[in-house]
Amino acid sequence: MPPHGGDSTTVTGNGTMANSRMRLRLNPNKDHKPEGYDDLELDFSPSIFSSLEKHLPPNMLVFSRDDKAKFMREILLKYLPNGERHRTQKHKEYRQKINSHYQPLHHELYTLNPTAFFVPTFLKAISDNTEQSFRSIISEPSPDIYVFQMFQPEFCELLQAEIENFEKWVAEAKFRIMRPNRMNKYGAVLDDFGLEPMLDKLMDDFVRPLSRVFYPEVGGATLDSHHGFVVEYGEDKDLDLGFHVDDSEVTLNVCLGKEFSGGELFFRGTRCEKHVNTGSQPEEVFDYSHVPGRAVLHRGRHRHGARATTSGHRMNFLMWCRSSVFREMKLHQKDFSSWCGECNRMKMERQRSTCAATRLELIAKEGESTA
């Protein structure tokens, strides 16, 4: 059963869990070596289960692997929107059809090769793995929005060619493709045609080190799953993208090319679920222009949209990075002022009101004492 609080667990006679009311650990158990889940029939990537196992309560680590997998699967399923839950159920058959028929154009894309994928400055910063090294290559044009050069031009070209090859196969085979989300009518999910293992490594080794430093308050250190895809904009593609938040804790967005005009991202402040439709403060207004190979990293709850691509063809790679630990912990929190702009504004207003009231009270007492 999904955890909601408490620490007690009942184990039935056949060893399965009943009425489990345990919470995940906020910090991973670094001394625990998780089990492998590659040989099990699972709805999610086996690496997610191995990562999440480090956050299980200590008394649950002695449970059988099947029981742990069942417990973690129920947690993960809670955070899938209905549309994506249906999509998850269909994925095995869908991916099997693709993998048995689609012939990749560039096989070298399917195994992460850092020197071929990334620019040297980015690789050096990740290798040094310090906040100072990250900030040496990153600009912060608006609070909590980070911009940096990431992909080599050759990698961008290869990935674009692979996408075009996949879409050509889709058209010729008359295969019904699953689009990245309900807002984009064009684009493809990279995980669906064999790139998931590469993207797992991309998130684990190259995104999580950054998010651990820059977004610890939204689970940046515990990212354990992703949704990787490309979107396309242009005259015969999507033109723009409406105002929204992502289904992620941290989003990586990298422009791949090609020649285009327009398509700027506009940001309007980070909000929790309760305040997602509140107004923006002047300091939260920021527009960002795409440059091929350059990445922008932001919180998934940072409200944004994309203006119309007025000419040419623009293709972007996106990775929605998620933390099942953070999503579970969020159930037990009420104060999101560390990352929600409106929660923080209201908190500061309450503090100012309290200080003002205290000053008035002190002035009144001084007046009484001198009377």
Side-chain angles (χ1 to χ4, degrees):
M1 301 292 290
H4 293 288
D7 295 316
S8 62
T9 305
T10 301
V11 182
T12 62
N14 59 7
T16 60
M17 292 174 292
N19 299 320
S20 172
R21 298 182 61 81
M22 298 183 296
R23 293 184 183 181
L24 295 174
R25 294 165 52 108
L26 178 60
N27 298 311
N29 185 339
K30 296 181 179 180
D31 296 327
H32 175 68
K33 184 177 180 180
E35 300 191 59
Y37 293 86
D38 299 83
D39 58 322
L40 296 182
E41 291 292 323
L42 301 169
D43 299 315
F44 305 90
S45 170
S47 62
I48 297 177
F49 287 84
S50 295
S51 175
L52 191 57
E53 184 179 321
K54 294 182 180 181
H55 294 271
L56 293 178
N59 60 331
M60 192 175 181
L61 297 177
V62 299
F63 283 28
S64 71
R65 186 179 63 155
D66 287 343
D67 281 340
K68 286 185 288 191
K70 180 181 179 182
F71 180 80
M72 291 185 285
R73 177 181 178 272
E74 289 175 343
I75 290 175
L76 292 168
L77 283 174
K78 284 196 300 179
Y79 304 111
L80 284 179
N82 289 334
E84 194 166 338
R85 185 174 302 183
H86 177 72
R87 170 186 160 82
T88 299
Q89 294 169 351
K90 297 287 186 180
H91 252 174
K92 284 185 183 179
E93 181 181 349
Y94 175 73
R95 288 184 175 181
Q96 285 172 354
K97 286 183 179 179
I98 293 176
N99 292 329
S100 61
H101 294 93
Y102 175 64
Q103 296 298 317
L105 178 65
H106 296 295
H107 291 273
E108 61 268 35
L109 290 174
Y110 291 74
T111 301
L112 194 143
N113 182 344
T115 56
F117 285 21
F118 307 118
V119 297
T121 52
F122 177 76
L123 271 183
K124 176 68 164 57
I126 293 296
S127 175
D128 292 345
N129 196 28
T130 66
E131 181 174 352
Q132 182 179 2
S133 70
F134 298 155
R135 290 194 180 275
S136 71
I137 64 161
I138 287 175
S139 65
E140 189 179 0
S142 185
D144 303 320
I145 296 175
Y146 300 98
V147 176
F148 50 95
Q149 287 297 129
M150 185 175 189
F151 288 151
Q152 295 270 19
E154 295 80 5
F155 171 79
C156 294
E157 293 172 3
L158 289 177
L159 186 54
Q160 287 181 90
E162 189 69 40
I163 299 304
E164 291 166 357
N165 185 65
F166 177 67
E167 291 179 335
K168 180 182 177 183
W169 171 79
V170 166
E172 292 175 348
K174 296 181 179 179
F175 192 86
R176 186 177 180 183
I177 189 174
M178 291 183 180
R179 297 300 178 184
N181 52 64
R182 286 177 289 183
M183 299 183 72
N184 288 99
K185 296 179 181 178
Y186 296 89
V189 179
L190 302 180
D191 301 306
D192 287 345
F193 56 96
L195 287 164
E196 184 176 29
M198 183 273 283
L199 295 180
D200 279 338
K201 191 167 182 61
L202 174 62
M203 183 187 71
D204 290 345
D205 296 347
F206 297 93
V207 177
R208 194 160 57 207
L210 297 173
S211 62
R212 173 184 58 81
V213 170
F214 296 121
Y215 303 116
E217 71 288 335
V218 293
T222 58
L223 301 179
D224 55 18
S225 67
H226 72 265
H227 177 48
F229 58 96
V230 294
V231 291
E232 298 182 77
Y233 296 89
E235 185 177 346
D236 57 343
K237 305 291 184 180
D238 289 316
L239 287 178
D240 54 20
L241 188 63
F243 196 47
H244 67 285
V245 294
D246 297 336
D247 180 19
S248 69
E249 273 60 73
V250 176
T251 293
L252 174 72
N253 185 343
V254 189
C255 181
L256 302 177
K258 305 177 179 177
E259 296 291 331
F260 61 90
S261 299
E264 299 87 358
L265 289 178
F266 57 94
F267 291 91
R268 297 295 184 266
T270 307
R271 296 291 186 271
C272 64
E273 190 69 34
K274 180 180 178 181
H275 297 129
V276 69
N277 292 317
T278 57
S280 301
Q281 302 301 312
E283 64 273 15
E284 296 178 317
V285 176
F286 173 67
D287 287 12
Y288 169 80
S289 297
H290 289 290
V291 175
R294 192 170 71 181
V296 56
L297 193 72
H298 61 86
R299 294 189 188 94
R301 298 294 308 184
H302 205 138
R303 301 177 300 178
H304 62 283
R307 293 197 170 89
T309 297
T310 53
S311 67
H313 179 203
R314 176 168 69 86
M315 185 182 293
N316 277 55
F317 161 73
L318 288 103
M319 179 179 282
W320 288 355
C321 303
R322 299 158 175 162
S323 168
S324 51
V325 173
F326 172 73
R327 295 187 178 201
E328 180 67 17
M329 297 302 174
K330 196 164 63 169
L331 294 176
H332 311 287
Q333 296 177 347
K334 295 181 180 179
D335 178 18
F336 304 113
S337 58
S338 64
W339 55 270
C340 171
E342 185 65 13
C343 284
N344 183 61
R345 188 192 67 79
M346 295 172 65
K347 180 179 180 180
M348 297 299 290
E349 184 62 33
R350 287 194 300 270
Q351 290 176 348
R352 283 192 292 268
S353 297
T354 301
C355 290
T358 301
R359 284 196 298 270
L360 289 174
E361 185 177 344
L362 290 174
I363 291 171
K365 288 182 177 179
E366 288 176 0
E368 292 174 358
S369 63
T370 56

